[in-house]
Amino acid sequence: MDAADVVASVLVLGIIIVSLLSNVVVLICFVYNPEIRKQVPGLFILNLTFCNLLLSVSNMPLTLAGVITTGHPGGSGVCQIVGFLDTFLTTNSMLSMAALSIDRWVAVVFPLSYHSRIRHRDAVMALGYTWIHSLCFSTVATCRSWVGYHHLYASCTLCNVRAKGAGIQFLVFTVALHSLTFLLTLVVLCVTYLKVLKVARFHCKRIDVITMQTLVLLVDIHPSVRRKCLDEQKRRRLRATKKISTFIGTFVVCFAPYVITRIVELFCPGPISPHWGVLSKCLAYSKAASDPFVYSLLRHQYRTTCSLLANKVLKRIILPAS
């Protein structure tokens, strides 16, 4: 192995560890806290967490073995199963993110009618669609024997070499797959979250007007208190923008390089650096490690649950020792 392979191996191993630990913590919080289980977005987060965990224990270790051995890890049967899971889990996780963004849009834009518009039955139907959508693409690719070990990405996934005889069919399938997963999800994320940002800024302006009117009326207010109020105004304006940028930015940074590389590979027969191929695959894998923090663990409800669980574990360790 050269230095680039060593770096790639360490990167994949780190992603596996972080993804496993963070997604398991989300799963524990979901099981422990009944309030999280009652919420409709909890179903989408649970589905996303399971997809990330399966990806961490099936696809990522095989990619790690491929980078280390610089060859085909496992038999063709195992690679077919892992290739099926790669397409299914990636598609399912993307559509789950789209569902979460739609749920957030309805909650912010229609707060009074949210519970009547989005119910558990609607969430189950949406998850049913994501599973059918994902199964259709992954089943077609597996039945047509278009999945196998791809040396460019050091992983079992859609493989151009195995689909050489298919020609235009494989090209249409690949373009349709990425258009109806990555591109569709990106459009949904941008439309919904930008509408959420618009509503958040409108509310910030209303709060700012009330704050300024209050500061004008309170003539004797201390300058430090006035300064704190103005600083809080600035933080409030930036908070929503940072959150929306995180949701859309992590999706684009993690998935766009891999999807663009797959499309370039289809239309440009020239050689692509295997180091870039592995890096783009690692970026796609890193979404499984970042999702728990983006959608769950940084939220107040999950942080509180984690703190309660940590306190319980520490008490059980300390009490017997004392």
Side-chain angles (χ1 to χ4, degrees):
M1 286 197 305
D2 57 13
D5 290 333
V6 173
V7 172
S9 301
V10 173
L11 181 61
V12 176
L13 182 61
I15 291 170
I16 291 172
I17 294 170
V18 174
S19 179
L20 283 173
L21 290 176
S22 56
N23 282 287
V24 165
V25 170
V26 172
L27 204 58
I28 292 170
C29 290
F30 185 87
V31 172
Y32 180 80
N33 193 330
E35 291 300 319
I36 294 176
R37 293 198 302 272
K38 287 179 185 177
Q39 296 171 356
V40 174
L43 293 176
F44 300 130
I45 290 173
L46 183 64
N47 186 60
L48 184 61
T49 303
F50 273 123
C51 289
N52 291 337
L53 281 173
L54 281 173
L55 200 67
S56 303
V57 298
S58 60
N59 298 70
M60 293 186 197
L62 213 63
T63 300
L64 178 61
V67 173
I68 292 173
T69 60
T70 62
H72 192 318
S76 60
V78 173
C79 205
Q80 287 276 319
I81 295 170
V82 174
F84 171 87
L85 287 174
D86 181 71
T87 305
F88 173 77
L89 296 174
T90 305
T91 305
N92 203 336
S93 62
M94 284 188 189
L95 294 176
S96 296
M97 295 171 211
L100 280 166
S101 70
I102 293 171
D103 175 84
R104 190 51 29 207
W105 169 66
V106 175
V108 172
V109 178
F110 308 103
L112 298 178
S113 59
Y114 169 73
H115 292 290
S116 62
R117 288 172 181 266
I118 303 291
R119 293 163 292 183
H120 277 83
R121 184 184 66 185
D122 302 318
V124 170
M125 289 174 63
L127 286 178
Y129 170 76
T130 64
W131 276 67
I132 293 169
H133 184 117
S134 306
L135 279 171
C136 287
F137 279 104
S138 52
T139 303
V140 169
T142 306
C143 291
R144 296 300 301 269
S145 298
W146 290 343
V147 292
Y149 183 75
H150 203 313
H151 288 275
L152 178 61
Y153 307 103
S155 58
C156 295
T157 181
L158 287 173
C159 187
N160 294 26
V161 176
R162 294 182 64 88
K164 269 188 176 179
I168 192 68
Q169 293 178 356
F170 181 74
L171 188 147
V172 171
F173 174 83
T174 307
V175 171
L177 170 65
H178 294 306
S179 298
L180 295 174
T181 52
F182 172 77
L183 188 60
L184 175 65
T185 303
L186 180 60
V187 170
V188 171
L189 289 177
C190 290
V191 171
T192 53
Y193 282 131
L194 289 177
K195 286 184 178 293
V196 169
L197 182 61
K198 185 178 178 181
V199 173
R201 284 179 172 173
F202 173 73
H203 287 304
C204 282
K205 285 180 180 178
R206 291 180 62 185
I207 295 170
D208 290 347
V209 169
I210 295 170
T211 303
M212 293 306 296
Q213 288 176 347
T214 305
L215 291 175
V216 169
L217 291 173
L218 297 173
V219 180
D220 297 331
I221 192 171
H222 195 274
S224 63
V225 177
R226 184 186 296 272
R227 184 75 261 165
K228 284 181 180 179
C229 291
L230 295 174
D231 290 341
E232 181 59 30
Q233 276 186 347
K234 293 179 182 178
R235 283 195 294 270
R236 197 184 300 117
R237 292 193 203 103
L238 292 174
R239 198 176 298 136
T241 306
K242 284 181 179 178
K243 285 183 178 180
I244 301 305
S245 301
T246 302
F247 290 137
I248 299 175
T250 53
F251 180 82
V252 172
V253 169
C254 292
F255 284 124
Y258 177 68
V259 173
I260 292 170
T261 306
R262 298 300 312 228
I263 299 300
V264 169
E265 188 186 7
L266 280 177
F267 293 99
C268 299
I272 299 174
S273 170
H275 296 315
W276 169 253
V278 172
L279 177 61
S280 65
K281 192 65 178 175
C282 288
L283 284 172
Y285 284 154
S286 68
K287 193 70 174 75
S290 64
D291 281 342
F293 300 99
V294 172
Y295 292 103
S296 305
L297 297 179
L298 295 180
R299 289 174 55 195
H300 175 73
Q301 204 168 23
Y302 283 87
R303 291 205 309 268
T304 305
T305 305
C306 288
S307 300
L308 291 173
L309 288 171
N311 289 334
K312 281 193 173 185
V313 171
L314 289 173
K315 284 179 181 178
R316 287 181 181 178
I317 294 172
I318 291 169
L319 286 176
S322 60

